[in-house]
Amino acid sequence: MINILAKPLTETSNPDLEFAARALSLAAEGIGLVSPNPLVGCVIVSAGGEVVGQGFYRKDNLVHAEAIALEQAGERARGGTAYVSLEPHAHHGKTPPCTEALISAGITRVVCPIEDPNPLVSGRGFERLRAAGIAVETGLLADEASRINEKFICWHDRQRPFVHLKLAMSLDGRISLGQSVSTRLSGEEASARVQRLRHEHDAILIGANTAVVDDPRLTDRSGKPRLRPLTRVVLDNRLRLPADSSLAASTDESPTLVLTNSIDPEKAERLAGTGVEIVPIAGGTGQLDRVLEELRRRDIQSVLVEGGTAVAGAFVDARLVDKVTLIYAPIIIGGENAPAGFGGSGPSAIADALRLTDVTVTRHGDDIEITGYPQR
Ligand SMILES: NC(=O)c1ccc[n+]([C@@H]2O[C@H](COP(=O)([O-])OP(=O)(O)OC[C@H]3O[C@@H](n4cnc5c(N)ncnc54)[C@H](OP(=O)(O)O)[C@@H]3O)[C@@H](O)[C@H]2O)c1
C-alpha cells in the first residue's frame, strides 16, 4: 500500500492517525482508475479496535469505498468507526448514498479529513451523519487528503483541469543542447518517475517545436492500469506535427489532439487521416484559458505540461500552473545556445516571479526532483 505520510508512524501513535492514513493510502490505490471522480478510501474499525473492512473506489466498479468496506465488515461494523478519506455523499447519484449505508450498518463515529468540494455533496454528507447521531470528526490529515485529491478539488474550485508543469533540466536550468536538438537529460530512475507522473494525469500537453524536434511518444509506460487512455495534446498553430510522427502513428493506443488557431485544409486532412483530431482554438490573449476549457469539456481533469521553453513560459506567464516538478540532472550545459526551461515574457519585478511553496526534494538515482506549488 502507498505510504502517504512523510514520517513513519511509531508504536505510540494515535490509532486514529494510523487508520486515517490507511484510508488515504487506500484512496491512492485508485490513481488512474477514478477520473473525473475523486479518490476515496475507507477503513472500518470495530468497537474492539480491529480493522474489519477496507476498500477504495474505482470508477468501473459502481460500488463506493464505504460500501466495499461495510460489506466486508458485516455485523462487525456495528458500534464501530469509519475512516473515510473524503466526505461521504448524501445524494442519490449512480449509487445509493454512502451516508445511509454507514447509518444502517450501525457506525457510531466517522473520522474524515475534508469536505467534498463538489457542491452537490459539500457539507451535506456530514450534516446527514450528525443528524443520525453519528459523531463526525474532521481535520485529521486534512492537508494530505487535499493533496491526494488536488486534481478533483481544482476541477470544482477553479472549474478547469489541474495543470502540473514538469521539465527535466541541467543544473544551470537548460532543457536541451539547442532548440532543434533532442537531448535526453534524465537517468533511468528519473525516467521511471516521469512515467508514474504521466500515470497520474488524464492528458499530456507539449508545444509544436517539441513535437517536431523530440518526436515523443508521450505514452503512460508506468505498467499500472488506467481506465482512460492518456490524451496527448499538441499546441500547433501551423499544423507542423508530421503525419509520420510517433504521436500520429499511435492514435489507436492513445488519442492525439492538435489544437490550432488556423486550419490549412491540406495539412489538416493529412493529419486527420492518421487519426489525429484537429481542434480549432482561437489564438491571442486567453488562448491557454480556451485550451483548458476545451480539455474540461472533454472531462480531462488533469494535464501534465511537458514543455518546451515557449509553452512552459506561456503557462507561467498566464499563471495557469497548479504544481511544478523540475527534475535536475547533475550536469551543467552552459553555452549560448542551450535553451532555458522557461521562456515567455517573465516578470518585470522579482516580487512577481512564480514562488513555490510546500517544496519537496527527492532523489531519483543521480537526479534531483524539486516539486512545489505556486504561491497564490
Ligand atoms: N528537458 C525537457 O524537459 C524538455 C521538454 C520539452 C521540450 N524540450 C526541448 O525544448 C525545445 C523546444 O522548446 P521550444 O520553446 O522551441 O518549443 P515548444 O514550447 O515545444 O513549442 C513552441 C511552439 O508551440 C506553439 N504554440 C502554440 N500555442 C502556444 C502558446 N500558447 N504558447 C507557446 N507556444 C505555443 C508555437 O508554434 P506555432 O505558432 O507554430 O503553433 C510555438 O512556437 C526542444 O529543444 C526540446 O527538445 C525539453
Side-chain angles (χ1 to χ4, degrees):
M1 205 182 295
I2 301 156
N3 180 17
I4 56 96
L5 294 181
K7 284 188 205 145
L9 291 164
T10 64
E11 280 178 15
T12 54
S13 291
N14 153 10
D16 274 347
L17 190 59
E18 185 190 327
F19 298 134
R22 187 156 168 169
L24 289 183
S25 299
L26 281 160
E29 303 271 323
I31 291 173
L33 306 172
V34 302
S35 173
N37 292 339
L39 294 160
V40 186
C42 177
V43 177
I44 305 291
V45 176
S46 69
E50 193 195 338
V51 174
V52 289
Q54 60 178 34
F56 67 93
Y57 171 66
R58 45 184 291 164
K59 194 170 183 289
D60 57 344
N61 178 356
L62 281 179
V63 189
H64 279 189
E66 295 91 324
I68 297 169
L70 287 170
E71 160 109 39
Q72 279 172 23
E75 268 309 300
R76 291 171 300 168
R78 207 153 287 283
T81 299
Y83 296 83
V84 195
S85 63
L86 189 69
E87 181 181 8
H89 71 171
H91 75 287
H92 283 268
K94 283 188 188 142
T95 56
C98 291
T99 48
E100 303 317 300
L102 291 163
I103 295 164
S104 57
I107 290 291
T108 53
R109 182 170 169 252
V110 168
V111 176
C112 178
I114 53 169
E115 279 188 4
D116 192 309
N118 181 351
L120 265 181
V121 182
S122 191
R124 293 190 205 166
F126 290 153
E127 249 172 56
R128 173 71 190 113
L129 293 171
R130 287 191 176 113
I134 294 180
V136 176
E137 288 165 36
T138 60
L140 184 65
L141 297 181
D143 290 346
E144 289 81 353
S146 298
R147 286 286 183 240
I148 276 195
N149 267 315
E150 60 197 5
K151 300 172 179 76
F152 181 72
I153 291 172
C154 174
W155 186 252
H156 286 287
D157 286 0
R158 297 182 196 139
Q159 297 282 305
R160 62 162 174 76
F162 183 82
V163 176
H164 186 167
L165 200 156
K166 171 250 137 192
L167 288 173
M169 292 187 157
S170 60
L171 289 181
D172 54 335
R174 317 299 183 98
I175 59 168
S176 66
L177 287 173
Q179 199 189 18
S180 306
V181 187
S182 179
T183 313
R184 189 188 157 114
L185 293 172
S186 300
E188 289 302 321
E189 290 173 47
S191 300
R193 162 71 177 147
V194 172
Q195 294 303 326
R196 292 197 298 279
L197 278 179
R198 288 181 179 175
H199 181 69
E200 290 173 15
H201 293 81
D202 291 343
I204 303 192
L205 181 149
I206 57 167
N209 286 354
T210 298
V212 171
V213 172
D214 291 356
D215 188 24
R217 277 185 289 164
L218 303 183
T219 45
D220 171 354
R221 301 189 289 281
S222 64
K224 296 179 178 184
R226 61 182 303 137
L227 285 185
R228 299 199 292 175
L230 182 64
T231 298
R232 289 88 53 91
V233 181
V234 184
L235 301 186
D236 182 7
N237 291 323
R238 287 175 280 161
L239 296 183
R240 285 184 284 150
L241 180 70
D244 61 355
S245 61
S246 301
L247 288 172
S250 55
T251 52
D252 287 349
E253 200 186 326
S254 272
T256 301
L257 308 181
V258 166
L259 272 46
T260 186
N261 69 10
S262 67
I263 296 192
D264 169 335
E266 208 177 295
K267 285 183 185 170
E269 198 179 321
R270 207 173 52 227
L271 266 181
T274 66
V276 166
E277 189 181 346
I278 314 281
V279 184
I281 289 280
T285 314
Q287 186 207 13
L288 294 182
D289 290 302
R290 291 187 286 281
V291 165
L292 294 180
E293 267 164 40
E294 176 61 33
L295 299 184
R296 180 175 169 93
R297 209 178 55 72
R298 292 165 185 266
D299 261 355
I300 288 175
Q301 194 186 69
S302 58
V303 54
L304 186 66
V305 173
E306 291 206 24
T309 304
V311 162
F315 271 90
V316 169
D317 283 348
R319 291 298 188 261
L320 286 173
V321 180
D322 302 298
K323 187 171 184 177
V324 177
T325 293
L326 302 176
I327 299 181
Y328 287 93
I331 53 168
I332 292 169
I333 294 179
E336 298 294 326
N337 298 324
F342 295 88
S345 322
S348 46
I350 196 66
D352 298 330
L354 191 77
R355 177 172 288 273
L356 303 183
T357 60
D358 292 343
V359 173
T360 51
V361 180
T362 320
R363 294 294 295 258
H364 304 288
D366 287 340
D367 295 341
I368 304 149
E369 170 185 334
I370 297 189
T371 288
Y373 294 84
Q375 203 168 48
R376 289 184 188 277

